[in-house]
Amino acid sequence: DRCGHQLPSLTTNDKTLTMMPASILLRHQARRALTSFTRREVTRRPCMANPTRCFSAEPLEDLVPGIGRGKTSTGIVGIDVDHDAVPKMITKYQALLDKLAASDMPPDAQYRINVEKIARFRIAAAQENLDDPEMVEELCNCGQVEELVIQGDNEMIVMDMYLRNRWWELVKPVEIEYNPEDEDGGHGDVEWGDVPEDGKK
């Protein structure tokens, strides 16, 4: 027992255990019971003794190195390959549109106009090419799909600041004169490409 008293000897499988403290005897019995149980399970379920995973000899799809599912690197430090980047684009850019729709920013604010156009275009490009990230990149023309996802995250940060500070109220309208009357654009008689007389000296 715990006081170190000796217990009577036990006989198991015709083998007599020597007198030993109770703690050692209990550990010994537990080890024997576990070993016996394990052997019975292996005998009962031999298929589990040597589990084997079966793999198809034929690949599920033809992988092209560097393209689609065959892409293993973006070539950009800190940006890992994300084979789910295209659906993530749809989610993130839709979140931008939803936040603008729920805000009190005027529909004619130039920031809102620009963001909505970009977000809708990228969502459409992603939805029409879910399995073709290279086409999404070509249409958006603003980096790899992994970068486009990051750009959506960054735009959300900017939008939060823009809405919080109501920066559209600080933008003053500017009058722009289109197609001025002067054919030369108000530059007098100077022709583009001609060197002024002072410059010839």
Side-chain angles (χ1 to χ4, degrees):
D1 58 11
R2 295 182 180 179
C3 298
H5 298 133
Q6 301 297 321
L7 296 177
S9 62
L10 297 177
T11 302
T12 307
N13 295 333
D14 298 331
K15 193 176 211 179
T16 303
L17 299 177
T18 58
M19 303 298 288
M20 59 182 69
S23 59
I24 297 177
L25 179 62
L26 290 175
R27 284 200 300 270
H28 182 76
Q29 291 176 333
R31 188 181 301 111
R32 290 179 60 85
L34 180 60
T35 302
S36 176
F37 173 78
T38 303
R39 288 175 179 172
R40 287 199 305 271
E41 288 296 308
V42 171
T43 303
R44 188 187 317 167
R45 296 182 296 174
C47 61
M48 297 301 296
N50 296 300
T52 302
R53 297 184 63 185
C54 299
F55 296 91
S56 173
E58 297 294 333
L60 296 179
E61 58 181 322
D62 295 331
L63 297 181
V64 179
I67 299 178
R69 291 288 173 179
K71 182 178 181 181
T72 58
S73 174
T74 62
I76 303 175
V77 176
I79 302 181
D80 296 330
V81 173
D82 186 356
H83 294 299
D84 297 321
V86 176
K88 285 182 181 179
M89 283 179 56
I90 298 174
T91 301
K92 292 181 181 296
Y93 285 99
Q94 185 59 50
L96 293 174
L97 294 177
D98 294 342
K99 175 158 283 192
L100 284 174
S103 71
D104 58 349
M105 186 185 303
D108 59 347
Q110 194 61 47
Y111 174 79
R112 178 168 182 168
I113 294 173
N114 294 343
V115 171
E116 287 180 341
K117 285 182 177 180
I118 294 173
R120 290 195 179 102
F121 181 86
R122 293 186 176 182
I123 289 174
Q127 289 176 334
E128 295 171 4
N129 302 276
L130 283 173
D131 298 323
D132 192 352
E134 285 72 27
M135 180 57 68
V136 176
E137 295 170 358
E138 182 177 344
L139 292 172
C140 295
N141 194 26
C142 204
Q144 302 178 46
V145 288
E146 290 84 359
E147 294 178 276
L148 295 173
V149 171
I150 294 174
Q151 290 169 20
D153 291 333
N154 292 340
E155 194 60 53
M156 181 63 75
I157 297 174
V158 174
M159 184 179 295
D160 287 337
M161 292 190 297
Y162 206 95
L163 293 172
R164 182 171 60 253
N165 296 299
R166 304 181 68 83
W167 283 340
W168 67 87
E169 297 178 351
L170 304 179
V171 179
K172 297 180 181 179
V174 177
E175 294 184 4
I176 301 176
E177 182 181 357
Y178 296 95
N179 299 323
E181 296 179 0
D182 296 337
E183 294 181 359
D184 61 359
H187 295 289
D189 297 331
V190 177
E191 296 290 339
W192 290 110
D194 291 348
V195 180
E197 293 296 329
D198 295 340
K200 294 180 181 180
K201 297 179 182 179

